[in-house]
Amino acid sequence: MICPSCKKEISDSLKFCPECGYSLAAAQPPQYDVQSKSEKKKKIYKRWWFWVLIVILLFIIISAISSEKNNNKTNNDSPAVTQNEQAVVTTTKKNENERLKVGDSFTDGYLEISIKSAEVWTGYSEFSKPDSGYKYIRLFAEAKNTGTSDAFVYSDDFKCYADNKPASDPYCGDERFNGDDLSAGRETDGYLYYQIPADAQKIEIEYELNFITSKKVYYDIELS
């Protein structure tokens, strides 16, 4: 190489010029460590956003798997639910508008209900006797929850008609059928009291199977 100071030719390996003492290190261009620079550049798996993307991707995969399992479970359960609902509909249609008599029972899919007896009732007191030209009748009713969840039955579900006119529901007598919220397998019973014209020819009890669809069953009442 040529010394920049004295212009003498000298060896490339020298750090100082032997002729003039000039420092040759200052004259040499800086050497860059390419490998070191590359190493300083972070690899992709060491960057924070890479792991954020990984976590998000895993969350999406787990959510998709969980959703698929839930869909399969729902599809597997659906036939059983449909069968139960169909049983209720079938039972309701079977009894819809059916004419029953005292002693018969029916089911609305959840409750098994029957009217066991019907009679003219004269056990009233002086203070609770029927109006002039009327009489009291008393019916004994039973209800049992045959379903798997709570069911509701009330005395107001039974409507009495005498010669197609609604009969009143006087508060008289004991052991009344007040109804109840019945859990699965539970039963209740009691008396239903009505005031009807003394000369009524046709007595009916109307029970509403479903207040939404207004489906009903009817008892033709013959008094004992």
Side-chain angles (χ1 to χ4, degrees):
M1 65 175 291
I2 302 299
C3 175
S5 178
C6 63
K7 308 301 180 180
K8 298 289 185 180
E9 185 175 353
I10 58 176
S11 174
D12 292 342
S13 62
L14 296 176
K15 294 183 179 181
F16 296 92
C17 177
E19 299 293 331
C20 65
Y22 182 79
S23 176
L24 298 174
Q28 294 179 353
Q31 301 295 319
Y32 295 98
D33 189 350
V34 178
Q35 179 64 26
S36 176
K37 187 175 181 180
S38 299
E39 289 178 352
K40 288 180 181 179
K41 185 177 181 180
K42 287 185 178 179
K43 296 182 179 180
I44 189 169
Y45 64 82
K46 291 184 178 181
R47 296 181 178 272
W48 65 269
W49 52 263
F50 172 80
W51 292 107
V52 171
L53 290 177
I54 292 295
V55 171
I56 293 174
L57 182 61
L58 288 175
F59 178 79
I60 293 173
I61 294 173
I62 293 172
S63 298
I65 294 173
S66 177
S67 178
E68 183 65 22
K69 287 182 178 179
N70 290 335
N71 289 336
N72 291 337
K73 184 177 185 301
T74 301
N75 292 334
N76 291 335
D77 292 344
S78 294
V81 173
T82 302
Q83 290 174 5
N84 290 338
E85 291 175 350
Q86 183 61 37
V88 174
V89 172
T90 301
T91 304
T92 301
K93 287 184 176 180
K94 180 181 178 181
N95 289 292
E96 183 183 356
N97 299 326
E98 183 178 351
R99 307 300 301 196
L100 306 174
K101 62 182 184 296
V102 174
D104 290 342
S105 62
F106 66 92
T107 178
D108 64 357
Y110 302 97
L111 290 167
E112 182 179 323
I113 299 172
S114 61
I115 294 179
K116 295 296 186 180
S117 65
E119 61 183 347
V120 175
W121 186 66
T122 58
Y124 50 84
S125 69
E126 181 66 22
F127 303 101
S128 61
K129 62 183 180 180
D131 297 337
S132 177
Y134 287 82
K135 63 184 178 183
Y136 287 152
I137 63 172
R138 183 175 75 168
L139 288 66
F140 186 75
E142 295 179 342
K144 179 180 180 179
N145 183 356
T146 58
T148 57
S149 58
D150 290 357
F152 314 100
V153 57
Y154 304 105
S155 59
D156 290 343
D157 296 333
F158 299 86
K159 306 293 184 182
C160 181
Y161 291 86
D163 294 333
N164 294 319
K165 295 181 180 180
S168 61
D169 180 9
Y171 190 82
C172 60
D174 299 324
E175 301 180 75
R176 295 174 62 86
F177 187 100
N178 293 318
D180 208 346
D181 299 346
L182 301 178
S183 54
R186 301 299 184 184
E187 303 178 28
T188 188
D189 57 36
Y191 290 104
L192 300 166
Y193 295 88
Y194 301 100
Q195 177 177 266
I196 66 173
D199 59 353
Q201 299 299 308
K202 181 182 179 182
I203 306 169
E204 295 176 285
I205 294 294
E206 180 182 286
Y207 183 88
E208 193 168 56
L209 287 167
N210 190 315
F211 74 93
I212 297 177
T213 60
S214 298
K215 294 178 180 178
K216 302 175 176 66
V217 295
Y218 302 90
Y219 273 92
D220 293 321
I221 304 298
E222 293 185 9
L223 300 173
S224 59

